[in-house]
Amino acid sequence: MSEEHNWASRRTAKQAKLTAMQSWLNGKFGQTKDAKTILEGLIQSGDRVVLEGDNQKQASFLSQTLAQVDPEKVNHLHMIMSSISRPEHLDIFEDGIASKLDFSFAGPQSTRVSQMIADGSLVIGDIHTYLELYARLYVDLIPNVVLVAADQVDKDGNLYTGNNTEETPVIVEAAAFHDGIVIVQANQVVDRVPRVDIPGDWVDVVIPADQPYQLEPLFTRDPQNITELQILMAMMAIKGIYGKHHVQSVNHGVGFNTAAIELLLPTYGEQLGLKGKIVPNWEVNPTPTLIPAIESGWIQSIHSFGGEVGMGDYISARPDIFFVGPDGTMRSNRAFGQMAGQYALDMFVGSTLQIDQYGNSSTVTHGRLSGFGGAPNMGSNPSGRRHSTPAWQSLRPDNDPLGKGQKLVVQMVETYGANKRPVFVDSLDAVAVQKEAKLKNVPIMIYSEDTTHIVTEEGIAYLYKTDSMAERQAAIEAIAGVTPVGLRSDPAVVQDLRARGIVALPEDLGVRRTQATRSLLAAQNMADLVQWSHGLYNPPAKFRSWS
Amino acid sequence: MSEEHNWASRRTAKQAKLTAMQSWLNGKFGQTKDAKTILEGLIQSGDRVVLEGDNQKQASFLSQTLAQVDPEKVNHLHMIMSSISRPEHLDIFEDGIASKLDFSFAGPQSTRVSQMIADGSLVIGDIHTYLELYARLYVDLIPNVVLVAADQVDKDGNLYTGNNTEETPVIVEAAAFHDGIVIVQANQVVDRVPRVDIPGDWVDVVIPADQPYQLEPLFTRDPQNITELQILMAMMAIKGIYGKHHVQSVNHGVGFNTAAIELLLPTYGEQLGLKGKIVPNWEVNPTPTLIPAIESGWIQSIHSFGGEVGMGDYISARPDIFFVGPDGTMRSNRAFGQMAGQYALDMFVGSTLQIDQYGNSSTVTHGRLSGFGGAPNMGSNPSGRRHSTPAWQSLRPDNDPLGKGQKLVVQMVETYGANKRPVFVDSLDAVAVQKEAKLKNVPIMIYSEDTTHIVTEEGIAYLYKTDSMAERQAAIEAIAGVTPVGLRSDPAVVQDLRARGIVALPEDLGVRRTQATRSLLAAQNMADLVQWSHGLYNPPAKFRSWS
């Protein structure tokens, strides 16, 4: 290679584009009305573009603007998006602006993703977890342009991202330190930010947004919708898993099952004498249903992937518990949160739409390619982990001196889902989806080998204790109720599994079904949560039935 | 819990300590001579204290100062250190300043660590990998005080950490956003930093150091010390692993084996026609032996955990390859690097001191408790990973429709180590060390189940192809030479394993032993590397034989 080789081609290209747009920029600042022109000038056809947007926070002004660019000028973009959440995230593919997509999660748009893959208007790079998508921004998906959102920006381009810092830092760093272009939409431009979350040196262009970035209260669950079946399952989980294994650190997925657990800690957990003995440390979004447990002194620390709408004031008033900056507002961090969720925790508790007869689970069902977000990070056993905790060690096989413990990975499901379809199935819909969408792997969320416990309204299957696939299947059948899988269960086998502690029914655990009533919840509704918070929690309008 | 509960006890304590020290501080700045007094005032007995120091960069001024504090005033500290590298890191335990230790790596001090555990002067929390140690700073090892090092600090406390940013950001964030105290030693105080790596808002106290922080050129290997046996192994690896599996992204551990591979890419790799087909993307420290491959156009990107002494100017001149800021100097990031190394890569290639008959390996040998640094992150199969690459898929079992690929984890060892002791052993010394140090687990670095290939001077064992432990053992024996393990090898079995592609000798791979000469290396010595770099690489004095 000759000495004349340009080893700074990315820098040269970046400078040329910024220089060409100088008349549209005042220093780093562009005007809202010029946003489309600025994107057309700074994004080149074929570029790798990261668009911020996870399951909560969306760079919605920039995504709307990107959808308006002229596909004659900007096309064949390779988009990298944690979450496909908004219509224009897919419009840009139909309109010829983008052609390839790497993503993690597609909840609200999952049906359309499936259709677009089938009709060829979308080419998938891969379906990731959050953590691997972030990791690849430093390896083989290094971005040319990143589009992110900030709450406030000062005159030097310093960003305040506060409660919803989320994935902004890990995205911005990948571009700022590899001659990518960092474009920020700002809710507000101010003289002085409350604190600097991301230094202005890392930011190239700031555009004031026409309205604040979209933010979804994804983790808010109204206690009034928790059923007595969910309360029964929560009681079993607390006694038969949290207490039994002395779990100290935990992540809860989204859902009413885990909300029920949170609301039973100060009541049922207290009755069991578990206060001070379990779950002091959490990696979890600040779900409002945690408030009673926090106020009752159950919880020592919570680190969060993101914020939660309405929880800001409460979090600011509880800095011993939450991660809060010197300015008094929360800082979240999705990359570090996923890292902690994968490597540092005793236990992950999640839910799913389907579990097959072997124990593999997926939220991908027929026609809906939803992706996984962070669940496979949290819901897998990281074999690189070397530190040891009592919970971890309690799952250690006793016949191998070189053996080690493992992460508790718990699936909590009712045997029939909200749609009246069985959760336990012989074969996952994901197997068909793989073929339809021509994926390299069956889109399994959590593999059987990583799943240590399944909880249903029937009981708990302690899968980590099984020593063959046949025994694992029998344990699953034992708690699968009247689903086709459950109907195969042999009462004599169940009796044996119960005797050996591989399956536990409520009566085996000493959990009384009659106690599983809504009165056991520490909060019955949103108003109760507000009261527990001393008025500091401010629920979003759609959850405020009383005002 | 009453409404009078103080939910900001950490903040109150921090403010009280900073206020009490006001006469010793000018704003955020203390004086070098007052460092001991400042630490005595800001660190409280029993505090959790993170001391920056990985295998390269050390907050050496602050560690020396900590060793001087009065143990009557400050004692029973719980220290969290990535690396135990300097004598005072252990002196503080003998002197009664600290009592408990969580760490990752203890290379230079590993013998003393073993002795101190045995005599009870050191209580180990756990031995971690880098990634889990960082993760726990956000969960159950949230620090009260962190002691870190910066190259330059401006009047507002903004930090420039440049090439050696390393683990500083992940440590500082854990304290800055949980009312911990962030204390920084500065090589230089300047009016304006070249760029802001860490915002001043996150920093409480800055003390100019008496001399620059310690920095070790840990990853520099002089080509003149590469042997022809290592060249033979490198040729086998390139043809039989890198080429065979179409590996695109890789991490290399420290050592001459991987240095040989780096120096054979532009020669032997070119002969094989592999240029442009393998390893464009790297997560690796900027080892000087990569220079010929970079200059020859083999490499597209390198993200690094840390810097490397003498490589700064070369890196600045190659921003298309390395992660370099707008100011023109590199930014490293150990937390993101470990995340990428674990989740984003096709392959890890490392070395070890012992491998047992089953394929478990460890660098912990009798009397030396060295810990693992990042090897178990990189050298493990992350079951949470969901994206798919050709290399990954090439290891997929063909009998399971729900199966998936896995990471290539390669151990490269000569059958006898530098100390003339066999690398292949029936039982790891680590088993005895577990008992002596009363560890909860045998300190295995990489487990057999994660190890997909072993390369020795005898050949390659493709362990991922074996379908029983007995077959795995036979494959290991086949390449274990005249070690006790190797002597058990049955020639008829080896013949069968070769026929089935489970073991490959050089002749099976078409690798000619006679070609394995030093003339095949793209650089013979350090001077050659300097020449390849067009004079931009500036080796540390101890590597400069010619000046």
Side-chain angles (χ1 to χ4, degrees), chain A residues 54-57 161-166 215-220 284-288 304-312 315 330-334:
Chain A
D54 50 40
N55 56 17
Q56 297 191 276
K57 174 191 182 188
T161 45
N163 286 270
N164 308 299
T165 297
E166 295 254 358
L215 192 62
E216 284 301 311
L218 189 72
F219 292 88
T220 297
V284 70
N285 275 313
T287 71
S304 300
F305 314 98
E308 184 68 10
V309 178
M311 285 288 282
I315 290 166
M330 183 198 201
R331 172 151 163 135
S332 58
N333 189 320
R334 192 170 285 265

Side-chain angles (χ1 to χ4, degrees), chain B residues 60-109:
Chain B
S60 42
F61 170 66
L62 289 174
S63 63
Q64 287 172 323
T65 306
L66 184 63
Q68 291 160 15
V69 302
D70 182 351
E72 294 288 316
K73 294 180 184 163
V74 179
N75 50 60
H76 287 94
L77 298 183
H78 178 174
M79 299 301 300
I80 302 164
M81 293 188 269
S82 292
S83 173
I84 307 170
S85 298
R86 296 171 55 88
E88 72 265 19
H89 289 169
L90 292 172
D91 293 346
I92 57 174
F93 291 89
E94 289 183 344
D95 296 345
I97 296 164
S99 57
K100 188 173 178 184
L101 175 65
D102 276 84
F103 77 105
S104 285
F105 180 69
Q109 298 288 334

Side-chain angles (χ1 to χ4, degrees), chain B residues 391-408:
Chain B
W392 193 269
Q393 289 285 7
S394 72
L395 271 61
R396 181 179 181 143
D398 48 16
N399 55 358
D400 179 3
L402 299 185
K404 55 178 174 170
Q406 74 178 102
K407 185 190 284 180
L408 280 79

